Amino acid sequence: MLAIRTRFSASSPGEPSWLRCGGGTAAPYEHLAANWRVATIATQTVDEYGVLFRNLFAMDNLEVKEIHGIVISSVVPPLDSTLRQVCEHYFNTKPLFITPGVKTGMPVLYENPAEVGADRIVNSVAAFEKYGGPVIAVDFGTATTFDCVTAKGEYQGGVICPGIGISADALFGRTARLPRVDIRKPAKIIGTNTVASLQSGLYYGYLGLVDGILERLLEELGKETKVVATGGLASLIGKGSKYIEQVDDFLTLEGLRIIWERNVSAKPAAENPTPRVSSGNRAR
């Protein structure tokens, strides 16, 4: 199974694996009410996902009826139809998918803009909006991506490499006698047993890859370029990196919120209801 990369954000309580909500007449949706991570199960039905999502809402005392919008950045295309039906049947909301043609406010300089993954654009929009440009957004997911945004706010392109989890799985899968280990920073670089040696190789080897790529990107973009990291292992690698200045766990959520607001604000007022927040919602 693969950690879900289809990310949800909503105007009040939202959807898995992340959720953003807020209230007020004109204020943006600024308060994170809850967040979850769930596994991608390709064979799971609309009803199974619907029950799962509603149960997650109930655990956090969030009201499904308070949802006024859902935005999805999906990198699992076979699930798009299922997710769309879940949103429409269980939340009475037509979701906004981040696809070519959606208003992002960011010009894409890729040779073929349609090739750029939705999550990469979402991260870039958030990084530029929050930190300015030029900026590099590093996302530690199944793959690790380095996305570059110019000082003018243009998506320039970037780098894609295997994630540390994929690298570790390949090592363990092809070497029968090596045990699986947690990916963590070891106490010292020289391992005195197999587990410590593996952890040292995985951590420092991947840290070297990340800093090596960032060093070259900064040479090309300029030393004033900011570097922000997000994703599951962002904190682990970010603390050891020479170049990562900021770890932002919810960077993708910020981008989803920003893009959703840019698209909703372009609709007639009748299609853009004032958001409401249940008094039971918890902001964190």
Side-chain angles (χ1 to χ4, degrees):
M1 285 191 300
L2 162 75
I4 197 164
R5 294 289 299 170
T6 302
R7 295 179 185 264
F8 295 72
S9 178
S11 53
S12 281
E15 283 279 72
S17 54
W18 304 98
L19 151 80
R20 177 163 293 277
C21 78
T25 17
Y29 304 105
E30 296 174 344
H31 303 293
L32 182 65
N35 66 86
W36 312 280
R37 286 183 180 269
V38 299
T40 300
I41 304 174
T43 57
Q44 196 150 270
T45 67
V46 170
D47 292 329
E48 288 170 330
Y49 271 119
V51 170
L52 169 63
F53 297 163
R54 291 179 74 120
N55 285 341
L56 290 171
F57 276 35
M59 287 170 54
D60 281 294
N61 298 317
L62 301 173
E63 295 288 341
V64 170
K65 64 182 180 182
E66 294 294 336
I67 295 179
H68 299 291
I70 299 173
V71 56
I72 300 174
S73 168
S74 171
V75 294
V76 190
L79 276 180
D80 289 0
S81 176
T82 298
L83 297 174
R84 182 177 286 107
Q85 292 179 64
V86 171
C87 296
E88 293 174 352
H89 295 172
Y90 281 86
F91 302 98
N92 298 315
T93 302
K94 184 177 181 180
L96 171 68
F97 278 83
I98 308 300
T99 57
V102 167
K103 181 181 178 182
T104 64
M106 178 167 286
V108 178
L109 306 183
Y110 230 50
E111 293 178 4
N112 181 1
E115 289 181 356
V116 187
D119 53 342
R120 300 178 69 189
I121 296 298
V122 169
N123 285 339
S124 299
V125 167
F128 181 74
E129 185 77 8
K130 293 186 70 176
Y131 304 102
V135 63
I136 301 169
V138 187
D139 190 348
F140 294 92
T142 305
T144 296
T145 55
F146 302 75
D147 295 301
C148 305
V149 182
T150 68
K152 297 179 180 179
E154 304 159 318
Y155 179 82
Q156 189 171 3
V159 177
I160 304 173
C161 59
I164 189 170
I166 289 179
S167 302
D169 287 344
L171 177 64
F172 303 142
R174 291 177 176 269
T175 315
R177 297 191 63 182
L178 291 181
R180 288 187 173 272
V181 299
D182 291 335
I183 299 171
R184 63 176 63 176
K185 182 180 179 180
K188 54 183 180 179
I189 190 167
I190 300 176
T192 54
N193 55 60
T194 302
V195 169
S197 297
L198 285 168
Q199 288 177 331
S200 184
L202 289 169
Y203 176 80
Y204 287 107
Y206 208 77
L207 181 61
L209 177 149
V210 169
D211 276 357
I213 290 174
L214 287 173
E215 182 177 355
R216 287 161 176 77
L217 288 174
L218 290 170
E219 287 175 0
E220 190 167 325
L221 295 171
K223 298 298 182 183
E224 75 282 4
T225 302
K226 306 167 191 70
V227 181
V228 56
T230 192
L233 291 174
S235 295
L236 177 66
I237 303 299
K239 290 176 182 176
S241 171
K242 293 186 292 184
Y243 303 109
I244 293 174
E245 305 167 68
Q246 182 77 31
V247 173
D248 191 331
D249 292 331
F250 301 122
L251 187 72
T252 308
L253 266 185
E254 294 283 358
L256 284 170
R257 175 185 62 81
I258 293 164
I259 293 173
W260 188 83
E261 288 175 345
R262 287 175 179 173
N263 283 268
V264 170
S265 64
K267 296 181 179 180
E271 298 180 23
N272 185 17
T274 299
R276 295 176 291 112
V277 180
S278 164
S279 58
N281 285 0
R282 296 179 293 104
R284 69 171 183 244

